Amino acid sequence: MDHSQDRVEAAEQSRIDTSELHAPWVLRSTRFDADGAALDQTLFALANGSLGVRGGFEESSSPSDGTFLANVYAQTPIHYHERLPGFARNTDTRVPVAEGKGIEIRLGGKPLDIFDAEWLDFMRELDFRTGCLRRRLRLRTADGATLEIRAERIVPLNEEDLLAIRFVVHSVDYAGPMTLISTVRGGQQAAAQSDDPRIGAGAGEGVLDTGRYADDTWAWLGQSVRDGRLHVVAAQRHVIGGGLRMVGVDREMHHVEQRYEGELSPGSEVILEKFVAYACGESAGGLPERTATVLRRACERGYASLANAQIATLADFWQHADLSISGQPAVEQALRFNLFHLLQSAGRNGIDGTAAKGLTGEGYEGHCFWDTEAFVLPVMVFLAPAVARAMLSFRYRTLDAARAHAKEMNHPRGALYPWRTIAGGECSAHYPSGSAAYHINAAVAYGIGLYLDASDDFDFIAEAGAEILFETARIWPQIGHFNPRKAGAFCLHEVTGPDEYTTLVDNNHYTNRMAKKHLLRAVSVWDRLRMERPHALDLIAGKIGLDVEEVALWRRAAEAMYLGYDERQAIFAQDDGFLGKPRWPFPMKQSGHRPLLLDYHPLTLYRYQICKQADVVMALVLAGDDTDIACKKRCFDYYEAVTTHDSTLSAPVFGILAAEVGRSDKALHYFTGSLRVDLDDLHGNTGHGVHMAAMAGSWLGLVQGFGGLRVREAALHFSPSLPDGWSRYGFSLQWRKSTLTLDVGRESVVYRMESGAPLTIHHGGVPFELRPGCDVVHPLDDLSGLAKAKYPRHCEALVFDLDGVLTDTAQTHFLAWKRLADEIGVPFDLIVNERLKGVDRMASLDIILERAACAFGSDEKNRMAERKNGYYVEAIHGYGPQDLFDGVRELLSQARASGLKIGLASASRNARVLLENLGIVDCFDYIADASAIGRAKPDPEIFLAVANALGVAPAACIGVEDSVAGIEAIHAAGMASIGVGDARTLFHADAVVSAISELRLFDFISR
């Protein structure tokens, strides 16, 4: 269930220019589309972790496209008809604050509306190295005057909440007076409640204006949220040039303004440097003075100095974070664009959280989710550790709120982090997908553990991290027990995993696996504190009432954690009931990426095997070190078939696991899907803000996917691979104050330490020491275990398809279907016939009837299918041994002599009759009865049934097929595959032979 056909190819459709040599370092647009203005405002947004300014134009007559402060939000009661204990009572909604970037232009006293003018030239670019948004617009007014407007903008990363603008108006042929009116404008409203929960569900209210002031030096506007809980001041001050002079101020409802006037002549220009400062607090007192101090310092430094400081800050980041993909400038651009947005929107002051949409829009109401720690924080851990520490400090700051939430959920002790929040309380009214998502605790613990491994910052653990780990670990024994019905395994009950299409289940695999990792991490931190910081441990334990008996319980629960495994499918079960449900029966939408949750009642989704994102796949990426590659491969194949990827979190983890299990084509496919989620607006809602987790997922796809990065026992492990079509790639990261780079080519990978102390790292599981200034080169072998099934290999059984593998009945089937189609007046040709390969009888009939002029009932369809079957059986009575493909009898004899079991997995219900006519029925130990199979290929049911009947584990079988659906079914069953036919069509197969006569058994089977 893949929506990749909906993707917009960047090279053909994007308004973003990637053609120039330096495009990988900038996002450039040379066209303006009013219908895409909201998307552009998101893509060109600037932020510093606390202040976010969307990318609208300064001189636009409606500049209020959104400015946000991370900690300014409205709190609105949630209204229920049936409110029960523990339901969330309020929701937080980030609201836009005063818009400070507006600069109106007047020529001779007449306002200039740039959208009524003729645009002669336009360019806008976001520079990732400088953090600067630049714009150039040359236009001709309705009066015939030609002007060029040049604007630059930064939101300094290392300053308080400050916006700096350099605005230049250049006259080409205009002569006369010109006025610039600089404003701070209030009155913005939050996004109104929507049927789409991704956009907003709050009250749609903004902040209230509470006061205003303006003089020749500065101007400010005061605001407060409606309950008076938070106050904001937005203030502006200017540095002028080009002969501008102050001519007046104004203070009206919702805005303040300062006016500057000058004279233009052809070739001359005026310059306005505008600085806007924001301050907020629980009291309005002192806020104007705080902004005044910031503005005075900014004006003294000037725009150029602030811009140079921004360049230096980003140069330090890119020194540790740069990457390269040879010959792929669009990929480089997208990765750097994503990293830039992650850096600027991540909470970096230890106070503010990191929202799902960053500070670039109102999507999700500005809420923080668990993907902060699961996706964004790992990127910061490896590229900006100080930011990662600050992100975790936000969780410590809201620990008391998490404790309160735990009590709301009837947990007498411990802390439970909410599913969505700003201030720390649960903001979701839908508890099955909100409060039941206990895995948020595990995600926070995962982030703490990864940060500790990468930094060895044990001071943070002693000061904050351990208390979070311990308080959150206490919840797991309260929602689970040692279950005697499962041999005493520790089971977790009534939880919801990341996959919101399956809620309130027992033993969600992701939750259980991550809880196990969480508990073991808490135990190890307890042990290390006891050895290294006993005084700190005593303080923490005394504060929260923790003792050794409770810690011992954590260890026992972790060691006994239930991880449900289905023997029949040889995969991990997503939860106790998932595999027993039917597959999704409704047709998937063929255009537009619209999540199922917008069209179906939740209960409809819950009743089927349908995933928004695959919990098992993600669990194996984040905590699957104890699982062998063959099992991961089976899990990948099975859950890929039932996953819609309606969540932008899905593609990155599927891509990472695909790379690990050798599905290199799929790894690149999913990497590409997460890479340009926002640049190409693949989910249709980037206008409401970027997708922070998907952006992070693209970098993780490069480093954890293709680079094979894993952290095991606090050590770095790599297993690099090179995607098809790439000639070389490289990336940098930090590990314990050392910076190292990987340069991966066609034949080798070069490890280099740019700075720091010697490290022991692992390549393909083999440790080696990396020292500063000394490159280490390793061959780029196949390091992914069962990447492509390695041949020759251990094998106990061969499982064959029939049609197209052992004999050719395709023409017979075609003629039988053609005869039926002609009789009922439905067009049928070889093109339609190609879609029937590997498909069972009734599904084939449904495909043929797509062209029918009228609908047919089930009884009529059954009679048609029987009629076709009669034509087919009549024809195959004429088959004999002479109709076997060359080499089949010899291959079967050799397999039998080698001690292999032989099975047949054909969708044909006439398989046994045909084998008898061909004279080889006695060569098979088991022939699947297709009539007893409930699901057709690509479902693995028929291959698993054969393996089970033969008494052979799927991993010890090799399947032989000629159709794409058959190859997918083999892989989903956990078997290795051999394709028979065109290698271009069967590229998913582990090996391909052009004909069965070309299959040399001992090329594939170990002697």
Side-chain angles (χ1 to χ4, degrees):
M1 293 179 183
D2 176 24
H3 293 273
S4 62
Q5 68 268 24
D6 301 331
R7 290 198 182 118
V8 181
E9 290 295 334
E12 298 175 356
Q13 302 293 335
S14 178
R15 290 167 291 144
I16 304 305
D17 180 9
T18 61
S19 61
E20 297 188 25
L21 188 62
H22 62 290
W25 280 105
V26 299
L27 180 73
R28 176 179 293 113
S29 175
T30 55
R31 289 187 292 153
F32 177 76
D33 175 12
D35 291 336
L39 174 61
D40 286 341
Q41 289 163 8
T42 294
L43 299 181
F44 291 97
L46 294 176
N48 67 0
S50 177
L51 169 67
V53 180
R54 281 169 61 85
F57 301 158
E58 286 85 355
E59 69 277 17
S60 169
S61 58
S62 300
S64 56
D65 53 298
T67 294
F68 307 96
L69 292 172
N71 60 352
V72 175
Y73 60 93
Q75 196 167 78
T76 308
I78 300 173
H79 298 287
Y80 302 89
H81 287 293
E82 296 91 13
R83 181 163 65 189
L84 297 176
F87 281 24
R89 293 182 175 270
N90 301 290
T91 186
D92 301 336
T93 301
R94 181 181 294 153
V95 291
V97 296
E99 184 65 68
K101 61 178 175 281
I103 302 174
E104 180 186 343
I105 302 173
R106 292 185 180 180
L107 299 178
K110 182 179 180 180
L112 171 63
D113 186 341
I114 61 172
F115 299 113
D116 281 344
E118 178 187 0
W119 289 26
L120 305 176
D121 183 44
F122 172 73
M123 185 280 295
R124 171 168 50 181
E125 69 177 18
L126 177 64
D127 191 319
F128 316 139
R129 284 177 293 199
T130 66
C132 178
L133 175 61
R134 303 186 191 93
R135 182 168 54 87
R136 182 183 68 251
L137 171 61
R138 179 171 287 214
L139 54 80
R140 183 178 294 116
T141 70
D143 295 332
T146 307
L147 299 174
E148 183 170 283
I149 300 167
R150 298 192 301 273
E152 293 186 16
R153 182 192 306 172
I154 58 171
V155 176
L157 290 166
N158 291 332
E159 295 291 327
E160 295 184 60
D161 296 329
L162 177 69
L163 166 66
I165 299 170
R166 188 174 191 273
F167 192 79
V168 179
V169 180
H170 175 87
S171 171
V172 177
D173 58 18
Y174 171 75
M178 191 215 62
T179 304
L180 296 182
I181 304 174
S182 179
T183 63
V184 176
R185 190 176 301 275
Q188 288 76 24
Q189 298 298 302
Q193 185 167 346
S194 166
D195 291 335
D196 187 342
R198 301 171 300 171
I199 297 172
E205 296 179 344
V207 292
L208 299 171
D209 294 341
T210 59
R212 62 199 63 84
Y213 175 82
D215 63 22
D216 290 356
T217 303
W218 72 314
W220 58 263
L221 185 70
Q223 299 178 308
S224 74
V225 297
R226 292 181 180 267
D227 61 9
R229 181 179 37 81
L230 286 172
H231 298 264
V232 183
V233 165
Q236 68 179 19
R237 187 168 171 173
H238 306 86
V239 173
I240 56 178
L244 281 177
R245 62 187 183 279
M246 164 64 69
V247 294
V249 300
D250 201 355
R251 301 176 294 275
E252 297 182 4
M253 181 173 289
H254 298 319
H255 88 282
V256 292
E257 66 180 43
Q258 294 168 299
R259 297 187 296 275
Y260 299 89
E261 192 172 280
E263 289 289 326
L264 282 178
S265 58
S268 68
E269 61 189 28
V270 295
I271 303 170
L272 182 70
E273 290 186 0
K274 176 174 183 175
F275 304 95
V276 185
Y278 294 83
C280 63
E282 296 180 357
S283 169
L287 296 183
E289 290 76 15
R290 280 170 53 188
T291 62
T293 300
V294 173
L295 290 173
R296 183 172 58 254
R297 185 171 63 244
C299 289
E300 289 170 354
R301 295 180 62 182
Y303 179 87
S305 176
L306 290 168
N308 287 334
Q310 184 85 327
I311 292 171
T313 298
L314 284 164
D316 180 67
F317 171 73
W318 290 117
Q319 180 182 353
H320 303 295
D322 197 16
L323 49 89
S324 63
I325 296 92
S326 296
Q328 302 283 342
V331 176
E332 281 192 11
Q333 180 207 45
L335 284 167
R336 292 195 179 105
F337 169 80
N338 292 347
L339 287 178
F340 176 76
H341 266 291
L342 289 171
L343 178 69
Q344 68 170 2
S345 276
R348 54 197 299 118
N349 59 9
I351 298 172
D352 301 320
T354 300
K357 292 284 191 175
L359 288 161
T360 63
E362 294 183 73
Y364 291 115
E365 301 178 75
H367 289 162
C368 306
F369 291 76
W370 64 281
D371 38 285
T372 294
E373 283 77 25
F375 289 86
V376 180
L377 186 121
V379 177
M380 295 297 109
V381 161
F382 290 116
L383 301 183
V387 176
R389 193 186 207 270
M391 292 171 66
L392 292 172
S393 295
F394 163 75
R395 290 297 191 181
Y396 186 68
R397 188 178 70 81
T398 58
L399 181 57
D400 283 342
R403 290 185 176 109
H405 182 47
K407 287 183 171 58
E408 291 172 346
M409 300 291 290
N410 305 123
H411 301 301
R413 62 186 182 281
L416 181 61
Y417 281 102
W419 183 47
R420 53 192 302 171
T421 190
I422 293 179
E426 177 63 79
C427 291
S428 172
H430 190 248
Y431 77 86
S433 60
S435 297
Y438 280 74
H439 65 86
I440 283 84
N441 272 9
V444 174
Y446 169 78
I448 292 170
L450 184 61
Y451 174 72
L452 175 61
D453 288 343
S455 66
D456 199 30
D457 181 3
F458 207 58
D459 287 340
F460 173 78
I461 298 299
E463 295 163 6
E467 189 175 345
I468 298 174
L469 283 172
F470 297 161
E471 286 285 72
T472 51
R474 307 179 101 161
I475 298 297
W476 301 119
Q478 298 179 61
I479 64 168
H481 79 305
F482 295 94
N483 191 343
R485 291 179 176 270
K486 295 186 182 293
F490 191 79
C491 298
L492 300 176
H493 305 294
E494 297 302 327
V495 299
T496 297
D499 171 30
E500 298 150 37
Y501 290 177
T502 310
T503 66
L504 297 177
V505 298
D506 292 341
N507 295 311
N508 170 260
H509 187 81
Y510 175 86
T511 304
N512 285 31
R513 189 176 281 272
M514 292 297 286
K516 176 177 181 175
K517 188 179 183 76
H518 179 182
L519 290 167
L520 291 176
R521 177 68 74 171
V523 170
S524 70
V525 166
W526 171 278
D527 289 342
R528 185 172 172 185
L529 281 169
R530 182 169 50 83
M531 296 295 294
E532 299 181 16
R533 309 277 182 96
H535 179 65
L537 179 59
D538 288 345
L539 290 175
I540 297 169
K543 176 181 178 182
I544 65 176
L546 182 63
D547 57 32
V548 293
E549 287 79 11
E550 191 173 354
V551 176
L553 173 62
W554 299 347
R555 190 190 303 273
R556 292 198 308 275
E559 292 171 349
M561 187 67 67
Y562 181 75
L563 300 174
Y565 185 79
D566 184 80
E567 297 289 347
R568 184 168 178 268
Q569 304 278 12
I571 60 172
F572 289 111
Q574 178 162 307
D575 56 67
D576 283 356
F578 186 82
L579 296 180
K581 298 176 183 178
R583 296 280 183 108
W584 183 252
F586 304 107
M588 302 299 293
K589 292 185 180 298
Q590 296 301 310
S591 62
H593 199 134
R594 182 176 172 85
L596 295 178
L597 62 85
L598 300 182
D599 295 316
Y600 293 91
H601 191 282
L603 286 175
T604 303
L605 298 170
Y606 300 163
R607 292 185 182 114
Y608 296 99
Q609 287 191 54
I610 188 77
C611 299
K612 186 181 181 188
Q613 59 201 71
D615 289 359
V616 172
V617 170
M618 188 163 183
L620 295 176
V621 169
L622 268 62
D625 291 343
D626 60 349
T627 303
D628 65 79
I629 292 292
C631 179
K632 290 181 179 180
K633 182 171 178 281
R634 293 191 298 271
C635 290
F636 175 88
D637 290 330
Y638 186 89
Y639 286 103
E640 185 189 36
V642 297
T643 302
T644 65
H645 309 294
D646 285 349
S647 168
T648 58
L649 309 184
S650 187
V653 292
F654 267 89
I656 293 168
L657 192 63
E660 184 177 357
V661 303
R663 296 274 189 257
S664 56
D665 55 316
K666 290 183 180 292
L668 186 57
H669 166 80
Y670 286 119
F671 168 78
T672 303
S674 62
L675 179 69
R676 300 185 69 88
V677 162
D678 290 309
L679 284 174
D680 294 340
D681 196 16
L682 297 183
H683 284 243
N685 62 344
T686 297
H688 305 290
V690 299
H691 297 79
M692 293 280 283
M695 288 178 153
S698 66
W699 187 85
L700 296 174
L702 175 71
V703 176
Q704 294 183 339
F706 304 137
L709 168 65
R710 297 293 186 275
V711 177
R712 301 188 180 106
E713 297 181 355
L716 286 174
H717 291 248
F718 295 95
S719 295
S721 61
L722 189 68
D724 291 341
W726 290 16
S727 60
R728 180 178 298 276
Y729 69 89
F731 58 83
S732 301
L733 57 82
Q734 294 187 67
W735 184 262
R736 301 202 172 188
K737 298 183 180 180
S738 295
T739 300
L740 54 148
T741 64
L742 271 70
D743 185 4
V744 182
R746 295 188 186 277
E747 297 180 354
S748 63
V749 54
V750 179
Y751 295 88
R752 179 179 303 114
M753 179 173 286
E754 304 291 348
S755 62
L759 284 176
T760 297
I761 60 178
H762 299 72
H763 172 86
V766 179
F768 67 94
E769 187 175 63
L770 189 62
R771 292 177 169 274
C774 298
D775 293 354
V776 177
V777 181
H778 282 285
L780 192 66
D781 297 324
D782 183 5
L783 300 174
S784 56
L786 190 67
K788 282 276 187 181
K790 292 186 177 180
Y791 294 120
R793 58 178 280 127
H794 170 72
C795 178
E796 299 176 18
L798 295 176
V799 184
F800 291 92
D801 180 36
L802 175 54
D803 300 339
V805 174
L806 305 179
T807 189
D808 185 7
T809 61
Q811 183 67 7
T812 306
H813 277 293
F814 172 72
L815 292 175
W817 282 121
K818 177 66 174 169
R819 182 176 171 183
L820 174 70
D822 290 345
E823 290 171 352
I824 62 176
V826 175
F828 180 67
D829 53 28
L830 290 171
I831 295 175
V832 177
N833 187 64
E834 196 63 26
R835 295 173 58 196
L836 309 187
K837 273 194 170 184
V839 179
D840 68 13
R841 190 185 308 163
M842 294 307 297
S844 295
L845 179 61
D846 286 337
I847 292 172
I848 292 170
L849 293 180
E850 289 174 0
R851 296 184 173 191
C854 61
F856 294 93
S858 58
D859 290 342
E860 291 177 287
K861 290 165 70 174
N862 286 330
R863 286 193 293 271
M864 289 178 194
E866 287 304 316
R867 208 155 90 212
K868 179 268 174 184
N869 188 53
Y871 300 151
Y872 174 74
V873 171
E874 178 185 327
I876 65 173
H877 279 312
Y879 273 64
Q882 72 279 0
D883 293 300
L884 276 175
F885 284 146
D886 291 343
V888 169
R889 190 175 296 278
E890 293 79 4
L891 176 62
L892 295 175
S893 297
Q894 190 178 38
R896 176 70 68 214
S898 301
L900 298 178
K901 293 183 178 181
I902 303 174
L904 190 84
S906 171
S908 173
R909 301 188 181 196
N910 302 295
R912 181 173 290 276
V913 173
L914 186 53
L915 292 179
E916 289 173 349
N917 293 343
L918 294 169
I920 57 172
V921 69
D922 293 336
C923 296
F924 290 84
D925 298 297
Y926 182 76
I927 299 167
D929 182 359
S931 64
I933 302 301
R935 297 182 294 274
K937 303 170 186 176
D939 191 277
E941 182 179 11
I942 193 168
F943 284 97
L944 290 169
V946 173
N948 184 59
L950 295 176
V952 178
C957 298
I958 295 177
V960 186
E961 261 281 4
D962 73 318
S963 71
V964 173
I967 295 297
E968 291 185 4
I970 291 169
H971 290 161
M975 300 178 182
S977 66
I978 298 174
V980 179
D982 188 341
R984 292 169 298 181
T985 302
L986 303 175
F987 64 92
H988 291 309
D990 296 315
V992 179
V993 294
S994 59
I996 198 72
S997 60
E998 300 295 322
L999 199 161
R1000 302 288 180 262
L1001 187 63
F1002 293 115
D1003 287 345
F1004 298 93
I1005 308 300
S1006 299
R1007 293 176 184 268

